[in-house]
Amino acid sequence: MGKFIVILGAQWGDEGKGKIVDFLMHRASAVVRFQGGHNAGHTLVINGKKTILKLIPSGILHPNAQCLIGNGVVLSPNALLEEIAILKQNGVSIENRLHISDACTLILPYHVSLDRAREAAKGDKKIGTTGRGIGPAYEDKVARRAIRFGELFDEKILRNKLEDILHYHNFILTQYHHEEPIALEPLLENLLSIIPQLKPMRADVALLLDEYHRTNKNVIFEGAQGTLLDIDHGTYPYVTSSNTTAGAAAVGSGFGPRYLNTILGIAKAYTTRVGSGPFPTEQNNEVGQHLSKQGNEFGSVTGRPRRCGYLDLVLLKRAIQLNSISGLCITKLDVLDGLKTIKVCTNYRLHGKEYQAPPINTEEWSDIEPIYEELEGWQAPTAHCRSFNELPLQAQQYLLRVEALAGVPIDMISTGSEREDSIILRDPFEG
Ligand code: GDP
Ligand code: IMO
Ligand code: MG
């Protein structure tokens, strides 16, 4: 039987999903993105060479891997072509390997203008979005006025839809935000000029996945962002505009949930977040500085510094529950190298009472006091260790304690950004 494994972020994104997808990809025939857009930044490092992928699935560096973009993704055609061009410059062939669902909704320039205008208008209360037009594009999808990938290929339909949609959005852009309108003709001209490049990638992704299933192939579902950025279950309103949790793997690709075998949750050995919003275990001190520096915690899309703090088991347990995570992959263990002691948050205290689960209302989060357990750090490096036994004893103990508190097995450990700086304890394809 082929295995269908979901790899997703269990925190606020940037957990190292791309690295792990790339590392496991030699075992699978295909990889599919099912939500998000080019707000994602997934970093792969192979023999010192860094590749940052935004829209294209993290299997693209494996010449035989098929890369699918499912209906749940919001797709900027121009961002896609830019990414393809960079890959081609680096000798990566995407010919006959990238397949995009006709049902993907598009991100077009008015979405970017709206995203940026809104953030500017919010001032201090801004979400800190990536400014890529993600939110407005998902709004258009739900409002049933979006243009879908498959509609690009009929000039008449495209012109009509663009006229209607610009009529609507330009009113908001000019009258409400006092921004420049987006002109129809140059936009249409740009789209028509790139259509020959896009057309060969049209696909029925749901059908392809069904074929892989019937022919016993292994497939990876690659999440973007992380559980706490989920539009329903995250730290609303400081979230992204898609469902980032495991159920979205099925909805966003057109694959039946009954056939998903493994849900691998990726979590850093600590926590980071980029953008605004609550973060109970944030460390604005020398520990935060250590994590930021040693972990090189700067956004791969926007270059913004990521906020850093201790591992939060209350949130990790919530992520395990929301996603039915079958096993964890703990990444960036090496970033903790050299700390004398390391804290993990086990409970929250809120208004004098202790809680094991986070409050749903994000307004209450500012009053949370994390309750920590303090563990011994290690001085010998874990960096580049490729087996559990090589890890310093205290690092092994840290992982075992995290595993016990989390209540699910640690399947994998990552000790560096290189593809092979990885340890498998329990094979995700055997789940
Ligand atoms: P993603 O969005 O979840 O794919 O993660 P990002 O690529 O945005 O951020 C993870 C960063 O950490 C990237 O720069 C990776 O190269 C790097 N990285 C991944 N795993 C490890 C690890 O185990 N140790 C270290 N030091 N860096 C890692
Ligand atoms: P990957 O896939 C970390 C954050 C933004 C902002 C919020 C909303 O690399 O883990 P958006 O542009 O989506 O409307 O922004 O979500 N965000 C991410 N943070 N990693 C990401 O992706 C993110 N994608 C969006 O910083 O707080
Ligand atoms: Mg990232």
Side-chain angles (χ1 to χ4, degrees):
M1 280 293 280
K3 294 291 180 184
F4 283 70
I5 74 173
V6 183
I7 296 182
L8 50 74
Q11 296 165 321
W12 275 292
D14 303 325
E15 297 91 346
K17 300 174 289 294
K19 179 209 149 153
I20 299 301
V21 170
D22 170 70
F23 172 68
L24 293 174
M25 196 63 212
H26 68 285
R27 309 272 304 278
S29 301
V31 51
V32 56
R33 276 280 306 270
F34 52 87
Q35 45 72 232
H38 63 306
N39 50 348
H42 295 178
T43 314
L44 322 185
V45 183
I46 292 128
N47 299 326
K49 189 172 156 85
K50 191 193 260 198
T51 305
I52 299 178
L53 299 168
K54 293 161 189 163
L55 263 170
I56 295 181
S58 298
I60 199 74
L61 300 187
H62 293 258
N64 296 320
Q66 293 298 309
C67 294
L68 280 46
I69 298 186
N71 55 278
V73 168
V74 279
L75 184 97
S76 158
N78 285 303
L80 177 76
L81 293 181
E82 272 168 37
E83 203 172 324
I84 291 174
I86 294 172
L87 284 170
K88 279 191 178 156
Q89 277 163 22
N90 284 281
V92 181
S93 163
I94 62 115
E95 213 79 29
N96 298 322
R97 296 180 52 212
L98 189 58
H99 309 281
I100 302 171
S101 168
D102 261 358
C104 279
T105 45
L106 299 184
I107 300 187
L108 292 170
Y110 42 86
H111 296 124
V112 178
S113 299
L114 285 164
D115 192 358
R116 295 187 179 169
R118 276 197 209 145
E119 283 281 278
K122 280 203 172 101
D124 279 358
K125 294 204 176 76
K126 70 172 195 273
I127 308 283
T129 72
T130 59
R132 300 295 188 266
I134 305 293
Y138 275 116
E139 287 169 35
D140 272 1
K141 172 178 176 168
V142 177
R144 296 172 292 197
R145 62 173 167 253
I147 301 177
R148 308 214 295 182
F149 186 63
E151 289 171 327
L152 275 175
F153 307 99
D154 182 321
E155 187 176 337
K156 212 169 133 212
I157 296 182
L158 183 61
R159 175 180 284 276
N160 285 341
K161 286 202 80 158
L162 271 178
E163 261 168 15
D164 285 351
I165 211 162
L166 282 176
H167 186 68
Y168 178 79
H169 284 314
N170 277 339
F171 179 80
I172 299 170
L173 273 174
T174 57
Q175 303 303 303
Y176 186 76
H177 291 295
H178 309 292
E179 293 286 336
E180 290 299 311
I182 302 288
L184 172 69
E185 293 304 332
L187 173 55
L188 188 63
E189 204 173 298
N190 165 257
L191 290 173
L192 293 174
S193 74
I194 60 178
I195 276 168
Q197 287 165 269
L198 298 172
K199 206 164 183 176
M201 296 185 254
R202 289 182 75 176
D204 182 341
V205 166
L207 193 65
L208 285 175
L209 290 171
D210 186 55
E211 266 166 36
Y212 292 131
H213 185 240
R214 280 187 288 106
T215 53
N216 295 328
K217 302 286 199 294
N218 289 338
V219 176
I220 294 175
F221 291 72
E222 178 180 4
Q225 291 78 56
T227 299
L228 298 166
L229 290 170
D230 183 284
I231 183 74
D232 287 285
H233 301 289
T235 43
Y236 192 89
Y238 299 100
V239 292
T240 191
S241 296
S242 65
N243 285 111
T244 58
T245 38
V251 185
S253 67
F255 187 69
R258 189 153 62 92
Y259 304 128
L260 296 173
N261 300 98
T262 298
I263 316 282
L264 183 66
I266 316 289
K268 284 180 189 173
Y270 50 99
T271 311
T272 63
R273 140 160 242 180
V274 51
S276 327
F279 181 175
T281 60
E282 184 169 15
Q283 299 296 306
N284 283 319
N285 52 30
E286 65 284 1
V287 173
Q289 279 158 20
H290 171 105
L291 299 172
S292 167
K293 191 154 170 259
Q294 205 139 312
N296 190 26
E297 293 297 356
F298 295 89
S300 27
V301 173
T302 56
R304 289 178 290 174
R306 297 176 183 144
R307 300 154 65 192
C308 297
Y310 286 123
L311 187 62
D312 185 335
L313 265 303
V314 176
L315 293 180
L316 190 56
K317 276 167 36 186
R318 181 73 169 170
I320 290 166
Q321 173 216 325
L322 290 167
N323 293 294
S324 62
I325 284 173
S326 48
L328 291 168
C329 169
I330 301 293
T331 59
K332 303 191 90 160
L333 182 66
D334 53 298
V335 174
L336 300 179
D337 291 358
L339 287 173
K340 266 209 185 65
T341 59
I342 305 163
K343 291 179 184 173
V344 293
C345 168
T346 56
N347 295 65
Y348 286 165
R349 188 177 292 119
L350 185 62
H351 307 142
K353 266 177 77 176
E354 280 193 20
Y355 293 88
Q356 298 252 327
I360 306 271
N361 290 333
T362 311
E363 296 80 65
E364 295 174 53
W365 285 49
S366 48
D367 299 330
I368 288 173
E369 293 168 58
I371 301 175
Y372 291 108
E373 185 172 308
E374 193 159 339
L375 304 171
E376 215 182 314
W378 50 90
Q379 302 315 310
T382 67
H384 319 298
C385 283
R386 295 186 182 179
S387 76
F388 189 78
N389 292 335
E390 274 177 66
L391 299 173
L393 189 65
Q394 295 86 345
Q396 295 185 7
Q397 283 164 345
Y398 181 78
L399 292 168
L400 291 173
R401 185 64 189 141
V402 168
E403 185 176 64
L405 289 166
V408 295
I410 294 178
D411 288 352
M412 291 179 61
I413 301 157
S414 172
T415 57
S417 53
E418 272 287 338
R419 181 190 273 170
E420 301 296 335
D421 285 340
S422 310
I423 303 171
I424 297 187
L425 300 174
R426 224 175 58 129
D427 186 346
F429 289 102
E430 294 304 319

